[in-house]
Amino acid sequence: PTFLFAGGGTGGHLYPGIAIARALAAIQPGSRALFLCSDRPIDAKILTDEGVEFRPTPARPFGVRPRALVRFLRSWGASVRFGREVIREARARGPVHIVALGGFVAAPVVQAGRVERVPVTMVNLDAIPGKANRLIARRIASAPVRGAGIFTTLAVPPSHTYAAGWTLVPPIVRPAALARGTPAECRSRLGLDPDRPTLMVTGGSLGASTINTLLLDFARSRPEALKGWQVLHQTGAKQGDQMGPQLESAYAAAGARAIVVPFVAAMGDWWGAADLAISRAGAGSVAEAWANAVPTVFLPYPHHRDQHQRHNAEPLTRAGGDGGGGAVLLTDHVDAAANLAAAAPILTDLLGDAPRRARMREALRSLGPADGAERIARAIVGAAGG
């Protein structure tokens, strides 16, 4: 069989698909995984580095502004035709099954699958599904051929009644984002001091300028808080050239050894080395913090109208019952001074309180394994009769 994974535009859409593809390959040797992604450079880099077969689609995101709307409308028909062509080519080899990962790339591929009568399984990654996933769910419900169903890695609020029949599974984490060995071993592989506590900072594959600025200001204004620490900081591809040198200088002035890079594919050693993390709250980042049991300060992306990243992180803040949770959820105020004023006391406290970090780690461990990829893969193979 060929499994067509439809999704892209960010690592958050691709990495869960890669994890499911790996699980499918283990369950059903000889199967083929082909990713239909966006034509953004980040997609090609991620999928090439992972050694995954892929083909970019002409899909464009939906937008209400005239130019964005025109681009979306022009790309829709072309994307559906592209999807149908790929499905027909794949059928020459054997059965075809679409795994929709959400977002603007997935919707036209699902429509192509509906026309070609191909089973579709949807994987929803955020606590508040986006417009594309709501559309895809309706397409699946009316499809002539059903897949393994609709899975969500985070509970959708009961008010979203359309998700009542969706299956909740644990988070999906690719093997390369799982820690291998002890913190000391992970730090040694990265060239860090194996015995020094480590702070990890990430804004996701594209980076987060406000998080980068927050850490720059924090290192400059509170250097004593970083004394004895070392830092792993992923700036994001768009931020690296500008922010990288400034962050390196600020960390050095604070006496903290630091590795500052634009992008990291194999995040396992980073998570494994970390005593504390600062991150956006995309579904992928939340899943990796869960899986590696790393106490994390989440600053959700502030410009989503539905604030789904905030909902993504909430299960980790409640982990362990009344013990204080495994994560801290802050507001990204966008304004640099406001962010520093709100976050600096909390970061200072967490950096200086090892017992609290230990309690947070135990709270995250109580959530159980992040084995969503394996569960979904077994369901897909079972639905296909394999």
Side-chain angles (χ1 to χ4, degrees), residues 87-382:
I87 290 169
R88 291 170 181 173
E89 291 174 7
R91 272 186 173 148
R93 170 189 171 117
V96 178
H97 193 119
I98 293 172
V99 182
L101 303 170
F104 68 93
V105 175
V109 176
V110 169
Q111 176 60 20
R114 186 170 183 269
V115 174
E116 294 292 332
R117 302 177 70 88
V118 170
V120 178
T121 295
M122 188 182 93
V123 180
N124 178 68
L125 301 168
D126 290 304
I128 306 294
K131 292 179 181 178
N133 276 8
R134 296 198 296 272
L135 171 64
I136 290 168
R138 291 196 296 270
R139 290 286 188 269
I140 290 175
S142 62
V145 181
R146 299 295 177 87
I150 300 175
F151 298 88
T152 181
T153 63
L154 292 165
V156 179
S159 58
H160 293 64
T161 55
Y162 55 82
W166 296 10
T167 301
L168 177 64
V169 296
I172 300 167
V173 181
R174 61 198 167 98
L178 295 172
R180 297 177 296 117
T182 66
E185 291 169 343
C186 292
R187 293 170 194 152
S188 294
R189 281 194 293 269
L190 295 169
L192 296 174
D193 184 331
D195 299 319
R196 292 183 71 179
T198 303
L199 171 67
M200 189 190 90
V201 184
T202 175
S205 59
L206 298 179
S209 60
T210 50
I211 290 179
N212 290 336
T213 301
L214 169 62
L215 269 295
L216 180 65
D217 293 343
F218 181 77
R220 288 172 172 172
S221 64
R222 299 207 179 187
E224 69 283 353
L226 291 169
K227 184 177 180 180
W229 281 75
Q230 50 198 353
V231 183
L232 296 166
H233 191 133
Q234 177 184 270
T235 60
K238 292 183 177 180
Q239 303 287 322
D241 292 343
Q242 177 183 359
M243 293 296 298
Q246 296 182 62
L247 284 163
E248 289 175 345
S249 177
Y251 289 135
R257 183 177 182 183
I259 295 175
V260 182
V261 294
F263 178 75
V264 180
M267 289 288 290
D269 280 343
W270 278 47
W271 283 108
D275 293 275
L276 178 69
I278 300 170
S279 176
R280 280 286 190 238
S285 296
V286 169
E288 291 173 13
W290 171 324
N292 293 290
V294 176
T296 302
V297 176
F298 288 111
L299 285 94
Y301 181 71
H303 301 298
H304 289 143
R305 292 182 63 183
D306 60 11
Q307 290 295 296
H308 66 259
Q309 287 201 2
R310 177 168 290 274
H311 290 278
N312 289 349
E314 285 177 348
L316 276 65
T317 68
R318 298 192 298 266
D322 297 329
V328 175
L329 187 56
L330 300 181
T331 297
D332 186 338
H333 298 283
V334 182
D335 178 75
N339 276 342
L340 182 63
I346 293 169
L347 295 181
T348 300
D349 178 66
L350 284 168
L351 289 166
D353 193 343
R356 181 184 178 188
R357 297 195 305 272
R359 292 193 299 271
M360 293 172 72
R361 191 180 289 273
E362 287 305 311
L364 292 172
R365 286 176 176 147
S366 73
L367 293 171
D371 60 354
E374 290 76 14
R375 296 193 190 195
I376 293 170
R378 287 196 295 269
I380 291 171
V381 171

